[in-house]
Amino acid sequence: MRPDAYQALLSGALKGRYQQFAPASQVQMKIGPIPTIINSELKVANNTGFKMVGFDAGQASNAILGQNEFNRFFFSFHSLKYKGWTEFIDGVIGDAREISKVEPKFILAYSLQYLDEFVWEDNRSYDAKLFFRESEYLPNDIFDSSILEYSLSLDKKYKDRAYLDRIAVNVNDQINRNKLITVIHNMTFVLKESELLPFDALLESPAFKENMDYAHNVNKDTLKAILTDEVCEMICLI
């Protein structure tokens, strides 16, 4: 991927939707043997990716990240002001169509990830029972702990299409003593060699939109399975 090739989209097809473009760099450090670091070596690789940001009322509202990695590169499309599934997925597909036109590329896998963050500001001490419900996705002893770093990854199938389902739940203290509760749910569809398509063709394939809709619905069902009704009402799930 040539990151600088995507900057022209800001004055072209994505003009008005994105206003800021920044190249990315990677820093690698090799440390010498302990106790000395005299032999430490710092390498900076420039132009390894890019970040494109769109703003709404002066605040970042959406972003596209592109990153080169060894033998591959990836793109991610982010909503920072999520208003609903239809608006989000239509925007992502539209943005991805323009990204796909810059350089030819085949897609090996794609995913949908939700990140939900909650801050416990109640005067009552943190009580996991007020936030989480008993669920097959969570260990039972979370209700006896005020700190949690937990993840579960399972390989599954949907209509003979393989995907990886991962949920991560973290409960940590903040400096102001409030609790930060983070729930991350990711579903990644890995394509078979016979299923590989160019980026633009994948976006138009019925399976892509069907898989994304399915992942969205699974996310809602997963959150309903682990969060109490009160929390689900707060985020408009019920």
Side-chain angles (χ1 to χ4, degrees):
M1 177 183 66
R2 297 178 296 110
D4 55 342
Y6 295 84
Q7 187 168 3
L9 291 173
L10 266 70
S11 58
L14 297 181
K15 182 179 180 180
R17 183 165 167 80
Y18 292 89
Q19 295 80 36
Q20 186 181 86
F21 182 94
S25 301
Q26 289 183 339
V27 178
Q28 295 179 337
M29 178 175 288
K30 181 179 179 182
I31 304 296
I34 300 175
T36 175
I37 58 171
I38 295 176
N39 296 324
S40 64
E41 184 178 356
L42 184 67
K43 291 184 178 180
V44 179
N46 294 315
N47 209 30
T48 60
F50 69 86
K51 178 170 69 173
M52 199 180 300
V53 183
F55 294 86
D56 179 23
Q59 294 184 329
S61 58
N62 46 291
I64 302 174
L65 305 181
Q67 187 65 52
N68 283 319
E69 293 186 348
F70 181 71
N71 281 340
R72 69 171 188 170
F73 53 86
F74 72 88
F75 298 100
S76 57
F77 302 83
H78 305 257
S79 172
L80 307 177
K81 290 185 176 182
Y82 184 81
K83 298 179 180 178
W85 172 246
T86 300
E87 180 178 329
F88 169 74
I89 193 63
D90 288 348
V92 167
I93 291 176
D95 293 345
R97 283 195 185 106
E98 301 306 325
I99 291 290
S100 72
K101 296 175 184 178
V102 178
E103 294 177 289
K105 52 190 75 71
F106 279 79
I107 302 300
L108 303 178
Y110 55 88
S111 65
L112 176 68
Q113 177 167 296
Y114 277 92
L115 188 156
D116 294 284
E117 287 188 341
F118 307 87
V119 178
W120 182 275
E121 295 181 331
D122 199 301
N123 291 328
R124 294 170 291 180
S125 297
Y126 170 74
D127 184 351
K129 292 185 178 68
L130 298 176
F131 198 89
F132 298 107
R133 67 171 80 237
E134 291 185 6
S135 169
E136 61 181 328
Y137 296 107
L138 299 174
N140 289 331
D141 52 3
I142 69 167
F143 299 106
D144 300 319
S145 176
S146 63
I147 299 294
L148 175 65
E149 291 188 9
Y150 174 79
S151 66
L152 174 68
S153 297
L154 299 170
D155 60 315
K156 298 182 179 181
K157 283 190 175 182
Y158 169 62
K159 292 187 175 181
D160 292 327
R161 301 166 192 167
Y163 69 90
L164 180 66
D165 191 323
R166 180 180 185 273
I167 185 168
V169 181
N170 296 308
V171 180
N172 293 296
D173 291 315
Q174 295 183 297
I175 295 176
N176 59 8
R177 297 186 179 181
N178 288 330
K179 291 285 187 185
L180 176 64
I181 304 168
T182 305
V183 180
I184 302 173
H185 183 232
N186 179 287
M187 287 178 58
T188 299
F189 291 87
V190 181
L191 303 180
K192 303 175 184 176
E193 187 174 352
S194 60
E195 298 173 329
L196 298 183
L197 291 171
F199 196 0
D200 56 347
L202 174 72
L203 294 171
E204 308 305 327
S205 67
F208 174 76
K209 183 59 165 56
E210 183 182 7
N211 286 349
M212 290 290 96
D213 286 341
Y214 173 71
H216 169 62
N217 289 325
V218 170
N219 172 261
K220 292 192 294 184
D221 291 341
T222 302
L223 292 179
K224 290 177 184 178
I226 68 173
L227 303 177
T228 63
D229 287 346
E230 182 180 2
V231 176
C232 288
E233 289 177 359
M234 290 172 56
I235 56 177
C236 302
L237 276 179
I238 59 175

